Amino acid sequence: MNCSISGEVPEDPVVSKKSGLLFEKRLIERHISDYGKCPVTGEPLTADDIIPIQTGKIVKPRPVQAASIPGMLGMFQIEWDGLMLSNFALEQQLHTARQELSHALYQHDAACRVIARLKNERDEARGLLAQAERQIPMAATTAVGTTAVSNGKRAAEDEEMGPDGKKIRPGISQSVIDTLTECNAALSQQRKKRQIPATLAPVDAVERYTQLNSYPLHKTNKPGILSLDIHYAKDIIATGGVDSNVVVFDRPSGQIISTLSGHSKRVTSVKFAAEGELVVSGSADKSVRVWQSSENGNYDCRHVLKDHTAEVQAVTVHATNNYFVTASLDSTWCFYDLASGLCHTRVGDASESDGYTSAAFHPDGLILGTGTSGSLVKIWDVKSQANVAKFDGHVGSVTAISFSENGYFLATAAQDGVKLWDLRKLKNFRTFSPYDENTPTQSVEFDHNGSYLALGGSDIRVYQVASVKAEWNPIKSFPDLSGTGKATCLKFGPDASYIAVGSMDRNLRIFGLPGEEQMEG
């Protein structure tokens, strides 16, 4: 007899006392637990109502297909067909998944292109807005006068044409000049009373300087550090790299504070301003960016300035911390307000076609020095924007310039080495030629106290500052740049306690006295 549920011969038969029906034990027990009634009659049924019965050994008959070889071959063929159909369905699912993934990747790529385009449009709009804001005060000034015609003639007379054909703004306002003059008077008075601090590193300490640490701060795909600056109060270092990034680095802890990304080409110059709260960077992408420190420790881009038409080669911040100057290969320099990003004036020399490759403010802030790609050094009166002196004699582009703290000396670096200029007599009184003619001097820097001078190229050399007639003695040289390329920038730490050096292998190196690094940590 067959089971009333499955219709097959039961292996463990039981019978219902109420209906006399035959069931497979495991099937009827499961049905009773789920429904509590007979599956055939629908009457209430419990486990106690079923009785097991004894039967002989049951042999299940083989299916008809398995009774002959042709039947078995048919069964195998059916199973094989089922396997092939399952495999085909899996291949179809894989193909569909690949198509969906390809579509998702295409959408992601398209979204990235749209985002990049929108960022470019945003930056261009910001640049146009900044230009419009800068033109508003000029338009307002032009509108003041007796008649519109006379004012138009006056504006035309005041404007000059720059070497790129653009009109150059007439000058810096009187209120700004008054601020610069007051700062100059205060700094000059302080300098007369100032003495060399007792904390300045002595000569014998500098002689024992060695490499303390090396930090690879920038990306490896485009290695190289082109510029650096140190904020003495916070002891943090900013570096500008070939990878188009600016890195703000905490020297005592050896940790990167923030990486500033936004430029599209190499960062050629970087400077701290406003107690380290601001960083100003110039780039080969023709733009200048002002970055502001935020509460989370990062620096956010505050201004994007696009007044130059060629690479921006140098940035220098005025002693007031309210203004800065940028110098470009377009043969102009711009004087900016740091807070607003307003360009007060754009100055060019129509008689010269060489671009500017370096720039630095005099410590008193009323003189600006610029170096050109044509081996010339120009000294400017910031108040009148007049070129008051020119120094020639270098070979190759003037790569770096630095004023001494006392304001008497100017050091300039180029292909042929470093020249020292007496600003009182406007003449060259000493030349250092540390390298061969194929190795330019990339950087030159006085320390903040005006006691040491360092220059960098294929190595680093430190000299003791003396008078015009006295000998400037070499103190120390650091040839151990690991053979990875020349030093591109350097700067003394506070009180010459260390020297920070950037090079083309993307490493920031710190030279100082062994043991002091551990004591600071």
Side-chain angles (χ1 to χ4, degrees):
M1 295 183 63
N2 295 336
C3 174
S4 300
I5 297 178
S6 64
E8 298 179 355
V9 176
E11 295 180 359
D12 190 5
V14 293
V15 65
S16 172
K17 292 192 295 184
K18 292 184 178 182
S19 62
L21 294 173
L22 182 68
F23 298 102
E24 178 70 52
K25 183 179 180 181
R26 58 183 176 83
L27 297 179
I28 191 61
E29 285 180 346
R30 185 184 305 167
H31 188 84
I32 291 173
S33 64
D34 291 342
Y35 303 103
K37 60 182 180 180
C38 177
V40 178
T41 63
E43 296 178 353
L45 189 66
T46 65
D48 296 333
D49 296 331
I50 58 175
I51 302 171
I53 59 175
Q54 298 295 328
T55 62
K57 185 177 180 181
I58 300 172
V59 179
K60 293 183 178 181
R62 288 186 297 175
V64 177
Q65 294 86 348
S68 64
I69 292 178
M72 295 176 64
L73 291 176
M75 290 174 58
F76 295 154
Q77 183 65 47
I78 292 172
E79 291 182 0
W80 175 259
D81 292 344
L83 181 61
M84 290 299 101
L85 289 173
S86 176
N87 186 54
F88 177 73
L90 289 175
E91 289 182 352
Q92 280 189 321
Q93 292 176 0
L94 176 61
H95 180 68
T96 302
R98 285 177 174 173
Q99 285 185 324
E100 291 176 351
L101 178 60
S102 175
H103 184 65
L105 292 174
Y106 174 78
Q107 287 182 324
H108 178 267
D109 184 60
C112 290
R113 290 197 299 269
V114 170
I115 291 172
R117 178 174 57 80
L118 291 176
K119 284 184 176 180
N120 290 334
E121 292 177 355
R122 179 201 63 187
D123 292 342
E124 291 176 0
R126 285 178 175 174
L128 293 174
L129 178 60
Q131 291 179 2
E133 290 175 347
R134 289 192 288 270
Q135 291 171 359
I136 290 174
M138 294 175 58
T141 302
T142 306
V144 178
T146 54
T147 63
V149 175
S150 62
N151 287 333
K153 291 181 179 179
R154 187 183 299 111
E157 291 171 356
D158 288 341
E159 289 180 334
E160 298 178 359
M161 298 301 291
D164 57 357
K166 285 191 173 184
K167 290 183 179 180
I168 300 176
R169 296 174 181 83
I172 302 171
S173 67
Q174 187 60 45
S175 62
V176 175
I177 292 176
D178 292 342
T179 302
L180 301 181
T181 305
E182 291 174 4
C183 177
N184 172 72
L187 292 175
S188 298
Q189 189 66 26
Q190 292 175 8
R191 185 169 290 105
K192 294 178 181 178
K193 301 177 181 179
R194 185 177 180 186
Q195 296 180 350
I196 300 298
T199 53
L200 177 68
V203 173
D204 61 341
V206 178
E207 289 176 343
R208 292 183 285 119
Y209 279 7
T210 185
Q211 181 171 313
L212 301 179
N213 282 303
S214 179
Y215 304 99
L217 300 185
H218 290 264
K219 295 180 180 178
T220 56
N221 58 340
K222 294 181 179 180
I225 296 176
L226 300 180
S227 58
L228 67 83
D229 192 26
I230 301 175
H231 189 273
Y232 291 151
K234 296 183 177 181
D235 204 4
I236 56 178
I237 302 174
T239 60
V242 179
D243 61 358
S244 75
N245 290 333
V246 176
V247 175
V248 181
F249 175 79
D250 182 66
R251 190 195 67 85
S253 67
Q255 300 296 319
I256 293 176
I257 298 174
S258 181
T259 299
L260 287 52
S261 301
H263 287 293
S264 59
K265 294 185 179 179
R266 63 184 181 275
V267 178
T268 55
S269 184
V270 60
K271 286 289 184 293
F272 281 111
E275 303 300 325
E277 296 300 317
L278 298 177
V279 174
V280 184
S281 59
S283 170
D285 63 8
K286 309 177 187 178
S287 74
V288 178
R289 288 176 179 258
V290 179
W291 311 82
Q292 184 169 26
S293 176
S294 58
E295 294 181 355
N296 59 8
N298 294 323
Y299 283 76
D300 301 322
C301 185
R302 181 175 177 182
H303 300 297
V304 180
L305 310 174
K306 298 183 178 181
D307 292 282
H308 290 292
T309 59
E311 293 186 10
V312 178
Q313 290 284 297
V315 172
T316 178
V317 178
H318 190 267
T320 58
N321 263 314
N322 295 328
Y323 310 101
F324 68 93
V325 161
T326 60
S328 169
L329 289 179
D330 64 5
S331 304
T332 66
W333 57 269
C334 292
F335 185 94
Y336 286 98
D337 181 272
L338 187 61
S340 65
L342 172 68
C343 180
H344 287 276
T345 186
R346 182 170 176 265
V347 182
D349 189 345
S351 63
E352 297 288 345
S353 60
D354 298 321
Y356 296 122
T357 52
S358 54
F361 272 114
H362 186 273
D364 289 343
L366 289 184
I367 294 176
L368 175 72
T370 58
T372 71
S373 58
S375 312
L376 196 63
V377 179
K378 295 182 180 182
I379 305 299
W380 304 82
D381 179 1
V382 178
K383 293 192 295 184
S384 64
Q385 300 93 63
N387 182 202
V388 296
K390 293 182 180 180
F391 300 146
D392 57 11
H394 268 302
V395 175
S397 299
V398 180
T399 54
I401 64 177
S402 177
F403 288 95
S404 66
E405 191 277 336
N406 61 14
Y408 298 155
F409 305 134
L410 172 66
T412 58
Q415 181 81 28
D416 56 343
V418 171
K419 290 184 180 293
L420 298 175
W421 308 87
D422 185 346
L423 295 177
R424 293 165 292 185
K425 297 183 178 181
L426 300 180
K427 67 176 185 180
N428 170 231
F429 67 90
R430 184 163 277 100
T431 299
F432 301 122
S433 300
Y435 314 118
D436 59 48
E437 59 183 10
N438 297 320
T439 306
T441 305
Q442 295 289 336
S443 55
V444 64
E445 185 79 20
F446 284 99
D447 81 293
H448 184 63
N449 296 288
S451 299
Y452 302 109
L453 175 73
L455 57 90
S458 59
D459 61 10
I460 308 298
R461 304 189 184 194
V462 182
Y463 295 82
Q464 186 176 12
V465 174
S467 63
V468 173
K469 296 182 179 180
E471 191 66 27
W472 292 48
N473 297 319
I475 300 174
K476 181 72 175 179
S477 63
F478 305 101
D480 50 342
L481 293 184
S482 305
T484 53
K486 53 187 175 295
T488 55
C489 51
L490 56 83
K491 194 173 182 69
F492 286 95
D495 293 328
S497 58
Y498 64 87
I499 303 173
V501 179
S503 64
M504 287 306 294
D505 64 351
R506 79 186 180 95
N507 278 289
L508 172 68
R509 290 178 169 83
I510 305 297
F511 295 88
L513 281 180
E516 291 192 357
E517 195 82 358
Q518 287 81 355
M519 286 189 293
E520 291 180 6

